[in-house]
Amino acid sequence: MPQEQKQKKKRVPITALTKQEICLKKRENLKLRDEDLAKEYGLDRSTITKILKQREKWLAIDPNSNYAKQKTQKSPKFPQIEDALSRWLSANLNNGNSVSDAQLQEKALEYAQSYGLRNEFQASNGWISKFKNRHQFRSGESQGVSEVSLQVNPQSVPIGTTVIPTQEHSNFSNTVSLPPNSHYSSNPSIATSSRTNGTNMLINASSSQHYLPYGAGTSTPLVTSFPPSRMYPLNTITPSIPENAAFIFCDYQNDVVGMFQTTNILNQFLVNSKTLFQEVHQAKQKKNISSFSVGLSFRPGYPEVSTNNRYIEKLRNTGRLTEGNKGAEFIDGMIPREDDIVIKKRRIDAFYNTDLQMILQLRNIRHIILSGIATGDVILSTCRSAADRDLNVTVVRECCFDGNESVQNVLMNELFPIQGVMVASLDDILTGLRLA
């Protein structure tokens, strides 16, 4: 075989601006084939296809930004910190506040602590500079400190499925206060601004996978997400467990675990949960904390299951989680102990038609710490139900599991913080339990 055929085709680096140009050409001429674009730009057809799949992202970039001129767009090393810091910064900009680089560094370190990354993350001056560059912020000098504002080019911002014509730009200034978490309402579709990989993007809500809180269809901006430093009550510097808190372990049952394919992620989750369970019971000897084990089960014949509840009705056909069967029992390592309170439920939410709320009230418990299966069902439902009862809620990141990794990440990194739920690392919880 000739030598040249053995060699892999050399990768052609292109800028984000070139990708935007490709998307613009395709939008202007829908009959233009990917093969034709590939030939024009000297790229593989598969590369063109990948670019066009992310057309909203590339159309939304500011062509005058440094990001647009870079030939590589690497994903950030610490995406959780990056996303949280971006939301916090956007909220400040939305309120007309200026933010210095020193404040950015301080807040970034707080987030690193809350995500259990303090030993790995340093928030150096270089990282702050790259953060602003990735997110298209510009620095300006005001009263001797470096401040941050957001650059938006109206020509590159699609709203819904349309783009503002150039002749309508006269009412826009070159620099506007448009934070990435602002939300807008338009009829018939809702446009929501977001940030993805350092770009500004408006997404048509009908096709967006973002979670929108109740009432997002109004023109009122959505609630600002709570930075971990403002969440009750774990101290991010010296973690401690609130006095008279309750640990609630949800659905650690044989049948529930058996519904998921065995993976390293599931196995590690079970190891983490058993560690937490053991540490909680050791801490109960010297701390005023309670522990609850919540399990889902039904009487034989499933008399509690309605045909209207399609989600629960699926269990009827499997024969799982019936009382008296081993499948409804708690797994080894999570079996309730003598001083634990066992809650039997018939629905996903741990509060629905159970005596959990009554026991919490009798014990004057105002803070619950949740773990269990599955994050997108049990944990989410119980979190919302607890919040509606004015309880403070913490979820333990490594002790919550969902079969869909994307759902897990969205809830832990996006939805829970927006709703004021504290997302704590297992290390922080264990440290708090071990403190005298």
Side-chain angles (χ1 to χ4, degrees):
M1 181 179 292
Q3 183 68 26
E4 59 270 18
Q5 292 184 13
K6 293 183 180 180
Q7 296 177 351
K8 293 183 178 180
K9 188 172 182 178
K10 187 176 179 181
R11 182 177 179 272
V12 180
I14 57 175
T15 65
L17 191 59
T18 302
K19 295 177 182 179
Q20 184 184 71
E21 182 180 302
I22 291 171
C23 294
L24 286 170
K25 286 190 175 183
K26 181 68 174 181
R27 188 180 65 189
E28 293 169 0
N29 183 6
L30 296 177
K31 295 183 179 180
L32 188 61
R33 299 185 307 166
D34 292 1
E35 292 85 347
D36 297 332
L37 287 168
K39 184 177 181 181
E40 179 179 351
Y41 287 92
L43 301 171
D44 288 337
R45 186 183 63 82
S46 60
T47 302
I48 296 295
T49 302
K50 291 178 182 178
I51 292 172
L52 294 176
K53 283 183 178 179
Q54 295 181 295
R55 58 169 59 89
E56 292 89 355
K57 170 183 173 179
W58 302 122
L59 289 171
I61 67 169
D62 178 1
N64 297 318
S65 67
N66 291 331
Y67 176 82
K69 301 171 186 176
Q70 294 175 352
K71 290 190 176 182
T72 58
Q73 296 83 33
K74 295 182 179 179
S75 300
K77 186 176 180 181
F78 303 98
Q80 310 102 310
I81 300 173
E82 190 117 356
D83 291 345
L85 187 63
S86 175
R87 292 195 300 271
W88 174 83
L89 179 57
S90 301
N92 277 275
L93 292 176
N94 194 34
N95 292 329
N97 300 326
S98 60
V99 179
S100 68
D101 284 2
Q103 290 173 309
L104 279 176
Q105 287 177 311
E106 180 181 2
K107 185 56 64 175
L109 290 173
E110 287 185 18
Y111 287 131
Q113 183 73 35
S114 69
Y115 287 120
L117 298 171
R118 186 61 187 87
N119 293 333
E120 306 171 37
F121 179 77
Q122 302 301 323
S124 64
N125 292 335
W127 187 90
I128 293 296
S129 176
K130 291 176 181 178
F131 166 82
K132 293 189 294 185
N133 183 50
R134 282 192 294 270
H135 291 266
Q136 301 182 50
F137 294 111
R138 67 174 176 83
S139 296
E141 297 300 323
S142 176
Q143 299 178 350
V145 296
S146 178
E147 296 180 346
V148 179
S149 62
L150 179 64
Q151 293 264 11
V152 175
N153 182 346
Q155 298 184 35
S156 65
V157 181
I159 299 180
T161 56
T162 62
V163 175
I164 303 174
T166 304
Q167 62 269 25
E168 297 179 14
H169 294 163
S170 57
N171 294 329
F172 288 86
S173 59
N174 290 329
T175 303
V176 296
S177 296
L178 179 61
N181 281 348
S182 297
H183 293 75
Y184 306 89
S185 175
S186 59
N187 203 356
S189 63
I190 304 167
T192 305
S193 74
S194 176
R195 182 172 304 288
T196 302
N197 196 21
T199 65
N200 298 316
M201 175 172 65
L202 292 182
I203 308 174
N204 188 322
S206 62
S207 61
S208 170
Q209 295 181 355
H210 287 58
Y211 288 81
L212 298 180
Y214 184 80
T218 68
S219 59
T220 305
L222 297 181
V223 62
T224 302
S225 55
F226 292 86
S229 60
R230 292 177 52 198
M231 293 185 204
Y232 176 89
L234 292 181
N235 187 304
T236 58
I237 305 301
T238 56
S240 61
I241 301 301
E243 186 70 14
N244 202 26
F247 284 82
I248 300 180
F249 299 93
C250 298
D251 293 30
Y252 287 94
Q253 297 162 272
N254 291 305
D255 273 350
V256 175
V257 175
M259 293 178 187
F260 298 93
Q261 181 180 359
T262 301
T263 63
N264 291 335
I265 296 176
L266 176 60
N267 290 336
Q268 187 60 55
F269 154 75
L270 293 175
V271 170
N272 294 337
S273 297
K274 293 175 183 179
T275 299
L276 176 62
F277 189 79
Q278 182 177 356
E279 291 280 347
V280 166
H281 286 86
Q282 290 180 358
K284 286 173 69 174
Q285 300 175 12
K286 57 182 178 180
K287 288 182 176 290
N288 182 25
I289 57 177
S290 303
S291 56
F292 294 74
S293 292
V294 180
L296 176 66
S297 62
F298 305 94
R299 297 181 183 90
Y302 299 88
E304 308 89 350
V305 177
S306 168
T307 55
N308 294 327
N309 192 328
R310 296 180 181 177
Y311 188 87
I312 297 293
E313 190 184 15
K314 294 177 184 177
L315 294 173
R316 189 209 305 266
N317 300 326
T318 66
R320 290 173 169 170
L321 293 170
T322 54
E323 292 178 350
N325 291 331
K326 186 173 179 59
E329 296 176 0
F330 293 96
I331 63 174
D332 291 340
M334 301 296 293
I335 297 174
R337 304 190 182 178
E338 186 176 351
D339 57 347
D340 289 339
I341 300 173
V342 178
I343 302 293
K344 290 185 178 181
K345 61 174 184 171
R346 311 297 187 184
R347 292 294 184 269
I348 300 301
D349 175 15
F351 285 93
Y352 183 76
N353 278 355
T354 70
D355 51 8
L356 176 58
Q357 181 179 4
M358 180 181 68
I359 298 174
L360 293 176
Q361 289 177 338
L362 290 173
R363 294 193 173 198
N364 196 30
I365 295 173
R366 304 302 305 163
H367 190 112
I368 63 173
I369 301 172
L370 291 174
S371 63
I373 312 171
T375 312
D377 299 323
V378 176
I379 301 302
L380 176 60
S381 296
T382 304
C383 275
R384 295 308 315 139
S385 190
D388 288 341
R389 289 166 170 80
D390 298 325
L391 294 171
N392 296 292
V393 185
T394 295
V395 295
V396 187
R397 177 186 292 270
E398 296 90 340
C399 295
C400 293
F401 172 82
D402 196 283
N404 188 321
E405 189 175 356
S406 297
V407 170
Q408 175 85 0
N409 292 334
V410 167
L411 290 175
M412 292 295 178
N413 299 331
E414 301 290 338
L415 188 61
F416 286 155
I418 287 175
Q419 295 183 342
V421 174
M422 175 68 183
V423 179
S425 69
L426 176 60
D427 286 342
D428 277 352
I429 295 295
L430 296 181
T431 300
L433 287 170
R434 293 163 184 168
L435 289 176

PDB file of all heavy atoms in Angstrom, residues 196-227:
ATOM      1  N   THR A 196     -23.150  28.383  26.263  1.00  0.00           N
ATOM      2  CA  THR A 196     -22.619  27.069  25.969  1.00  0.00           C
ATOM      3  C   THR A 196     -21.212  27.218  25.417  1.00  0.00           C
ATOM      4  O   THR A 196     -21.000  27.850  24.386  1.00  0.00           O
ATOM      5  CB  THR A 196     -23.482  26.340  24.919  1.00  0.00           C
ATOM      6  OG1 THR A 196     -24.818  26.253  25.413  1.00  0.00           O
ATOM      7  CG2 THR A 196     -22.942  24.951  24.651  1.00  0.00           C
ATOM      8  N   ASN A 197     -20.242  26.661  26.139  1.00  0.00           N
ATOM      9  CA  ASN A 197     -18.860  26.645  25.667  1.00  0.00           C
ATOM     10  C   ASN A 197     -18.372  28.033  25.277  1.00  0.00           C
ATOM     11  O   ASN A 197     -17.741  28.238  24.249  1.00  0.00           O
ATOM     12  CB  ASN A 197     -18.729  25.685  24.487  1.00  0.00           C
ATOM     13  CG  ASN A 197     -17.277  25.331  24.217  1.00  0.00           C
ATOM     14  OD1 ASN A 197     -16.430  25.470  25.094  1.00  0.00           O
ATOM     15  ND2 ASN A 197     -17.012  24.864  23.010  1.00  0.00           N
ATOM     16  N   GLY A 198     -18.681  29.022  26.107  1.00  0.00           N
ATOM     17  CA  GLY A 198     -18.139  30.344  25.893  1.00  0.00           C
ATOM     18  C   GLY A 198     -18.858  31.168  24.854  1.00  0.00           C
ATOM     19  O   GLY A 198     -18.320  32.138  24.343  1.00  0.00           O
ATOM     20  N   THR A 199     -20.079  30.853  24.475  1.00  0.00           N
ATOM     21  CA  THR A 199     -20.796  31.627  23.488  1.00  0.00           C
ATOM     22  C   THR A 199     -22.100  32.116  24.048  1.00  0.00           C
ATOM     23  O   THR A 199     -22.636  31.565  24.997  1.00  0.00           O
ATOM     24  CB  THR A 199     -21.093  30.790  22.225  1.00  0.00           C
ATOM     25  OG1 THR A 199     -21.984  29.744  22.578  1.00  0.00           O
ATOM     26  CG2 THR A 199     -19.838  30.208  21.635  1.00  0.00           C
ATOM     27  N   ASN A 200     -22.628  33.197  23.454  1.00  0.00           N
ATOM     28  CA  ASN A 200     -23.943  33.688  23.840  1.00  0.00           C
ATOM     29  C   ASN A 200     -24.958  33.161  22.848  1.00  0.00           C
ATOM     30  O   ASN A 200     -24.782  33.252  21.651  1.00  0.00           O
ATOM     31  CB  ASN A 200     -23.969  35.220  23.797  1.00  0.00           C
ATOM     32  CG  ASN A 200     -22.993  35.792  24.781  1.00  0.00           C
ATOM     33  OD1 ASN A 200     -22.917  35.325  25.908  1.00  0.00           O
ATOM     34  ND2 ASN A 200     -22.224  36.786  24.359  1.00  0.00           N
ATOM     35  N   MET A 201     -26.057  32.606  23.343  1.00  0.00           N
ATOM     36  CA  MET A 201     -26.983  31.927  22.451  1.00  0.00           C
ATOM     37  C   MET A 201     -28.400  32.105  22.950  1.00  0.00           C
ATOM     38  O   MET A 201     -28.662  32.002  24.134  1.00  0.00           O
ATOM     39  CB  MET A 201     -26.624  30.438  22.423  1.00  0.00           C
ATOM     40  CG  MET A 201     -27.561  29.575  21.623  1.00  0.00           C
ATOM     41  SD  MET A 201     -26.896  27.916  21.492  1.00  0.00           S
ATOM     42  CE  MET A 201     -26.928  27.378  23.179  1.00  0.00           C
ATOM     43  N   LEU A 202     -29.312  32.395  22.050  1.00  0.00           N
ATOM     44  CA  LEU A 202     -30.732  32.417  22.394  1.00  0.00           C
ATOM     45  C   LEU A 202     -31.374  31.178  21.807  1.00  0.00           C
ATOM     46  O   LEU A 202     -31.237  30.898  20.623  1.00  0.00           O
ATOM     47  CB  LEU A 202     -31.404  33.679  21.829  1.00  0.00           C
ATOM     48  CG  LEU A 202     -30.958  34.988  22.469  1.00  0.00           C
ATOM     49  CD1 LEU A 202     -31.739  36.135  21.853  1.00  0.00           C
ATOM     50  CD2 LEU A 202     -31.168  34.963  23.960  1.00  0.00           C
ATOM     51  N   ILE A 203     -32.084  30.434  22.659  1.00  0.00           N
ATOM     52  CA  ILE A 203     -32.624  29.144  22.256  1.00  0.00           C
ATOM     53  C   ILE A 203     -34.129  29.205  22.182  1.00  0.00           C
ATOM     54  O   ILE A 203     -34.777  29.729  23.075  1.00  0.00           O
ATOM     55  CB  ILE A 203     -32.221  28.058  23.263  1.00  0.00           C
ATOM     56  CG1 ILE A 203     -30.700  28.094  23.484  1.00  0.00           C
ATOM     57  CG2 ILE A 203     -32.664  26.689  22.805  1.00  0.00           C
ATOM     58  CD1 ILE A 203     -30.248  27.162  24.570  1.00  0.00           C
ATOM     59  N   ASN A 204     -34.706  28.668  21.121  1.00  0.00           N
ATOM     60  CA  ASN A 204     -36.156  28.534  21.041  1.00  0.00           C
ATOM     61  C   ASN A 204     -36.602  27.537  22.095  1.00  0.00           C
ATOM     62  O   ASN A 204     -36.191  26.392  22.093  1.00  0.00           O
ATOM     63  CB  ASN A 204     -36.547  28.028  19.643  1.00  0.00           C
ATOM     64  CG  ASN A 204     -38.047  28.062  19.442  1.00  0.00           C
ATOM     65  OD1 ASN A 204     -38.814  27.765  20.357  1.00  0.00           O
ATOM     66  ND2 ASN A 204     -38.452  28.432  18.245  1.00  0.00           N
ATOM     67  N   ALA A 205     -37.473  27.986  23.004  1.00  0.00           N
ATOM     68  CA  ALA A 205     -37.843  27.148  24.145  1.00  0.00           C
ATOM     69  C   ALA A 205     -38.545  25.873  23.733  1.00  0.00           C
ATOM     70  O   ALA A 205     -38.518  24.882  24.446  1.00  0.00           O
ATOM     71  CB  ALA A 205     -38.731  27.929  25.114  1.00  0.00           C
ATOM     72  N   SER A 206     -39.184  25.869  22.573  1.00  0.00           N
ATOM     73  CA  SER A 206     -39.912  24.672  22.162  1.00  0.00           C
ATOM     74  C   SER A 206     -38.981  23.515  21.880  1.00  0.00           C
ATOM     75  O   SER A 206     -39.368  22.359  21.993  1.00  0.00           O
ATOM     76  CB  SER A 206     -40.754  24.976  20.919  1.00  0.00           C
ATOM     77  OG  SER A 206     -39.909  25.344  19.844  1.00  0.00           O
ATOM     78  N   SER A 207     -37.722  23.809  21.506  1.00  0.00           N
ATOM     79  CA  SER A 207     -36.785  22.743  21.211  1.00  0.00           C
ATOM     80  C   SER A 207     -35.672  22.649  22.237  1.00  0.00           C
ATOM     81  O   SER A 207     -34.826  21.784  22.148  1.00  0.00           O
ATOM     82  CB  SER A 207     -36.160  22.977  19.825  1.00  0.00           C
ATOM     83  OG  SER A 207     -35.451  24.195  19.815  1.00  0.00           O
ATOM     84  N   SER A 208     -35.642  23.552  23.217  1.00  0.00           N
ATOM     85  CA  SER A 208     -34.572  23.550  24.205  1.00  0.00           C
ATOM     86  C   SER A 208     -34.739  22.418  25.193  1.00  0.00           C
ATOM     87  O   SER A 208     -35.834  22.037  25.545  1.00  0.00           O
ATOM     88  CB  SER A 208     -34.574  24.877  24.968  1.00  0.00           C
ATOM     89  OG  SER A 208     -33.701  24.810  26.074  1.00  0.00           O
ATOM     90  N   GLN A 209     -33.602  21.885  25.669  1.00  0.00           N
ATOM     91  CA  GLN A 209     -33.640  20.854  26.677  1.00  0.00           C
ATOM     92  C   GLN A 209     -33.440  21.433  28.065  1.00  0.00           C
ATOM     93  O   GLN A 209     -33.311  20.700  29.025  1.00  0.00           O
ATOM     94  CB  GLN A 209     -32.561  19.807  26.395  1.00  0.00           C
ATOM     95  CG  GLN A 209     -32.809  19.064  25.107  1.00  0.00           C
ATOM     96  CD  GLN A 209     -31.753  18.023  24.849  1.00  0.00           C
ATOM     97  OE1 GLN A 209     -30.786  17.910  25.565  1.00  0.00           O
ATOM     98  NE2 GLN A 209     -31.955  17.245  23.808  1.00  0.00           N
ATOM     99  N   HIS A 210     -33.381  22.779  28.172  1.00  0.00           N
ATOM    100  CA  HIS A 210     -33.230  23.400  29.472  1.00  0.00           C
ATOM    101  C   HIS A 210     -34.512  23.233  30.286  1.00  0.00           C
ATOM    102  O   HIS A 210     -35.600  23.184  29.751  1.00  0.00           O
ATOM    103  CB  HIS A 210     -32.912  24.894  29.331  1.00  0.00           C
ATOM    104  CG  HIS A 210     -31.513  25.155  28.864  1.00  0.00           C
ATOM    105  ND1 HIS A 210     -31.027  24.651  27.684  1.00  0.00           N
ATOM    106  CD2 HIS A 210     -30.506  25.856  29.432  1.00  0.00           C
ATOM    107  CE1 HIS A 210     -29.779  25.043  27.518  1.00  0.00           C
ATOM    108  NE2 HIS A 210     -29.444  25.762  28.579  1.00  0.00           N
ATOM    109  N   TYR A 211     -34.365  23.173  31.608  1.00  0.00           N
ATOM    110  CA  TYR A 211     -35.515  23.094  32.486  1.00  0.00           C
ATOM    111  C   TYR A 211     -35.966  24.511  32.822  1.00  0.00           C
ATOM    112  O   TYR A 211     -35.182  25.332  33.284  1.00  0.00           O
ATOM    113  CB  TYR A 211     -35.147  22.362  33.786  1.00  0.00           C
ATOM    114  CG  TYR A 211     -34.956  20.884  33.592  1.00  0.00           C
ATOM    115  CD1 TYR A 211     -33.764  20.369  33.095  1.00  0.00           C
ATOM    116  CD2 TYR A 211     -35.970  20.000  33.901  1.00  0.00           C
ATOM    117  CE1 TYR A 211     -33.589  19.010  32.917  1.00  0.00           C
ATOM    118  CE2 TYR A 211     -35.805  18.630  33.734  1.00  0.00           C
ATOM    119  CZ  TYR A 211     -34.624  18.154  33.252  1.00  0.00           C
ATOM    120  OH  TYR A 211     -34.447  16.809  33.082  1.00  0.00           O
ATOM    121  N   LEU A 212     -37.234  24.825  32.605  1.00  0.00           N
ATOM    122  CA  LEU A 212     -37.761  26.140  32.900  1.00  0.00           C
ATOM    123  C   LEU A 212     -38.715  26.060  34.076  1.00  0.00           C
ATOM    124  O   LEU A 212     -39.678  25.297  34.039  1.00  0.00           O
ATOM    125  CB  LEU A 212     -38.507  26.699  31.680  1.00  0.00           C
ATOM    126  CG  LEU A 212     -37.658  26.905  30.435  1.00  0.00           C
ATOM    127  CD1 LEU A 212     -38.523  27.458  29.322  1.00  0.00           C
ATOM    128  CD2 LEU A 212     -36.503  27.842  30.703  1.00  0.00           C
ATOM    129  N   PRO A 213     -38.448  26.832  35.163  1.00  0.00           N
ATOM    130  CA  PRO A 213     -39.343  26.792  36.318  1.00  0.00           C
ATOM    131  C   PRO A 213     -40.753  27.246  35.958  1.00  0.00           C
ATOM    132  O   PRO A 213     -40.980  27.881  34.937  1.00  0.00           O
ATOM    133  CB  PRO A 213     -38.674  27.772  37.292  1.00  0.00           C
ATOM    134  CG  PRO A 213     -37.248  27.823  36.873  1.00  0.00           C
ATOM    135  CD  PRO A 213     -37.278  27.654  35.379  1.00  0.00           C
ATOM    136  N   TYR A 214     -41.693  26.924  36.834  1.00  0.00           N
ATOM    137  CA  TYR A 214     -43.094  27.272  36.627  1.00  0.00           C
ATOM    138  C   TYR A 214     -43.245  28.773  36.426  1.00  0.00           C
ATOM    139  O   TYR A 214     -42.700  29.575  37.150  1.00  0.00           O
ATOM    140  CB  TYR A 214     -43.907  26.844  37.849  1.00  0.00           C
ATOM    141  CG  TYR A 214     -45.393  27.070  37.693  1.00  0.00           C
ATOM    142  CD1 TYR A 214     -46.174  26.178  36.972  1.00  0.00           C
ATOM    143  CD2 TYR A 214     -45.992  28.176  38.250  1.00  0.00           C
ATOM    144  CE1 TYR A 214     -47.529  26.385  36.835  1.00  0.00           C
ATOM    145  CE2 TYR A 214     -47.355  28.395  38.119  1.00  0.00           C
ATOM    146  CZ  TYR A 214     -48.111  27.496  37.417  1.00  0.00           C
ATOM    147  OH  TYR A 214     -49.451  27.697  37.277  1.00  0.00           O
ATOM    148  N   GLY A 215     -43.992  29.151  35.386  1.00  0.00           N
ATOM    149  CA  GLY A 215     -44.222  30.570  35.126  1.00  0.00           C
ATOM    150  C   GLY A 215     -43.174  31.196  34.238  1.00  0.00           C
ATOM    151  O   GLY A 215     -43.121  32.402  34.074  1.00  0.00           O
ATOM    152  N   ALA A 216     -42.303  30.389  33.627  1.00  0.00           N
ATOM    153  CA  ALA A 216     -41.244  30.950  32.801  1.00  0.00           C
ATOM    154  C   ALA A 216     -41.767  31.586  31.532  1.00  0.00           C
ATOM    155  O   ALA A 216     -41.057  32.302  30.855  1.00  0.00           O
ATOM    156  CB  ALA A 216     -40.228  29.860  32.436  1.00  0.00           C
ATOM    157  N   GLY A 217     -43.029  31.354  31.201  1.00  0.00           N
ATOM    158  CA  GLY A 217     -43.577  31.911  29.979  1.00  0.00           C
ATOM    159  C   GLY A 217     -43.931  33.371  30.075  1.00  0.00           C
ATOM    160  O   GLY A 217     -44.313  33.983  29.099  1.00  0.00           O
ATOM    161  N   THR A 218     -43.811  33.982  31.260  1.00  0.00           N
ATOM    162  CA  THR A 218     -44.087  35.397  31.409  1.00  0.00           C
ATOM    163  C   THR A 218     -42.859  36.194  31.049  1.00  0.00           C
ATOM    164  O   THR A 218     -41.766  35.671  30.885  1.00  0.00           O
ATOM    165  CB  THR A 218     -44.500  35.719  32.849  1.00  0.00           C
ATOM    166  OG1 THR A 218     -43.350  35.516  33.686  1.00  0.00           O
ATOM    167  CG2 THR A 218     -45.625  34.812  33.303  1.00  0.00           C
ATOM    168  N   SER A 219     -43.036  37.520  30.963  1.00  0.00           N
ATOM    169  CA  SER A 219     -41.902  38.370  30.640  1.00  0.00           C
ATOM    170  C   SER A 219     -41.048  38.674  31.848  1.00  0.00           C
ATOM    171  O   SER A 219     -40.012  39.302  31.738  1.00  0.00           O
ATOM    172  CB  SER A 219     -42.407  39.693  30.034  1.00  0.00           C
ATOM    173  OG  SER A 219     -43.264  40.344  30.953  1.00  0.00           O
ATOM    174  N   THR A 220     -41.470  38.234  33.035  1.00  0.00           N
ATOM    175  CA  THR A 220     -40.693  38.466  34.241  1.00  0.00           C
ATOM    176  C   THR A 220     -39.469  37.576  34.241  1.00  0.00           C
ATOM    177  O   THR A 220     -39.570  36.383  33.988  1.00  0.00           O
ATOM    178  CB  THR A 220     -41.541  38.150  35.484  1.00  0.00           C
ATOM    179  OG1 THR A 220     -42.730  38.914  35.417  1.00  0.00           O
ATOM    180  CG2 THR A 220     -40.772  38.470  36.765  1.00  0.00           C
ATOM    181  N   PRO A 221     -38.255  38.126  34.526  1.00  0.00           N
ATOM    182  CA  PRO A 221     -37.063  37.280  34.543  1.00  0.00           C
ATOM    183  C   PRO A 221     -37.191  36.177  35.574  1.00  0.00           C
ATOM    184  O   PRO A 221     -37.797  36.354  36.623  1.00  0.00           O
ATOM    185  CB  PRO A 221     -35.941  38.266  34.915  1.00  0.00           C
ATOM    186  CG  PRO A 221     -36.468  39.612  34.560  1.00  0.00           C
ATOM    187  CD  PRO A 221     -37.955  39.525  34.773  1.00  0.00           C
ATOM    188  N   LEU A 222     -36.589  35.026  35.269  1.00  0.00           N
ATOM    189  CA  LEU A 222     -36.620  33.919  36.200  1.00  0.00           C
ATOM    190  C   LEU A 222     -35.771  34.235  37.416  1.00  0.00           C
ATOM    191  O   LEU A 222     -34.896  35.079  37.391  1.00  0.00           O
ATOM    192  CB  LEU A 222     -36.074  32.657  35.518  1.00  0.00           C
ATOM    193  CG  LEU A 222     -36.873  32.167  34.323  1.00  0.00           C
ATOM    194  CD1 LEU A 222     -36.234  30.904  33.781  1.00  0.00           C
ATOM    195  CD2 LEU A 222     -38.315  31.889  34.704  1.00  0.00           C
ATOM    196  N   VAL A 223     -36.018  33.496  38.511  1.00  0.00           N
ATOM    197  CA  VAL A 223     -35.287  33.718  39.746  1.00  0.00           C
ATOM    198  C   VAL A 223     -33.803  33.475  39.517  1.00  0.00           C
ATOM    199  O   VAL A 223     -33.400  32.580  38.811  1.00  0.00           O
ATOM    200  CB  VAL A 223     -35.806  32.776  40.850  1.00  0.00           C
ATOM    201  CG1 VAL A 223     -35.603  31.330  40.491  1.00  0.00           C
ATOM    202  CG2 VAL A 223     -35.139  33.084  42.185  1.00  0.00           C
ATOM    203  N   THR A 224     -32.987  34.338  40.133  1.00  0.00           N
ATOM    204  CA  THR A 224     -31.551  34.193  40.025  1.00  0.00           C
ATOM    205  C   THR A 224     -31.117  32.944  40.777  1.00  0.00           C
ATOM    206  O   THR A 224     -31.586  32.670  41.869  1.00  0.00           O
ATOM    207  CB  THR A 224     -30.849  35.423  40.630  1.00  0.00           C
ATOM    208  OG1 THR A 224     -31.306  36.576  39.940  1.00  0.00           O
ATOM    209  CG2 THR A 224     -29.341  35.306  40.495  1.00  0.00           C
ATOM    210  N   SER A 225     -30.204  32.183  40.195  1.00  0.00           N
ATOM    211  CA  SER A 225     -29.746  30.976  40.864  1.00  0.00           C
ATOM    212  C   SER A 225     -28.973  31.339  42.120  1.00  0.00           C
ATOM    213  O   SER A 225     -28.289  32.351  42.172  1.00  0.00           O
ATOM    214  CB  SER A 225     -28.858  30.158  39.923  1.00  0.00           C
ATOM    215  OG  SER A 225     -27.801  30.949  39.437  1.00  0.00           O
ATOM    216  N   PHE A 226     -29.074  30.486  43.141  1.00  0.00           N
ATOM    217  CA  PHE A 226     -28.427  30.735  44.407  1.00  0.00           C
ATOM    218  C   PHE A 226     -26.997  30.225  44.358  1.00  0.00           C
ATOM    219  O   PHE A 226     -26.778  29.040  44.176  1.00  0.00           O
ATOM    220  CB  PHE A 226     -29.162  30.008  45.541  1.00  0.00           C
ATOM    221  CG  PHE A 226     -30.523  30.557  45.813  1.00  0.00           C
ATOM    222  CD1 PHE A 226     -31.624  30.132  45.112  1.00  0.00           C
ATOM    223  CD2 PHE A 226     -30.699  31.516  46.796  1.00  0.00           C
ATOM    224  CE1 PHE A 226     -32.880  30.632  45.376  1.00  0.00           C
ATOM    225  CE2 PHE A 226     -31.955  32.021  47.062  1.00  0.00           C
ATOM    226  CZ  PHE A 226     -33.045  31.585  46.351  1.00  0.00           C
ATOM    227  N   PRO A 227     -25.991  31.099  44.540  1.00  0.00           N
ATOM    228  CA  PRO A 227     -24.630  30.602  44.665  1.00  0.00           C
ATOM    229  C   PRO A 227     -24.514  29.761  45.926  1.00  0.00           C
ATOM    230  O   PRO A 227     -25.193  30.032  46.912  1.00  0.00           O
ATOM    231  CB  PRO A 227     -23.775  31.880  44.775  1.00  0.00           C
ATOM    232  CG  PRO A 227     -24.658  32.983  44.299  1.00  0.00           C
ATOM    233  CD  PRO A 227     -26.061  32.558  44.612  1.00  0.00           C
TER     234      PRO A 227
END
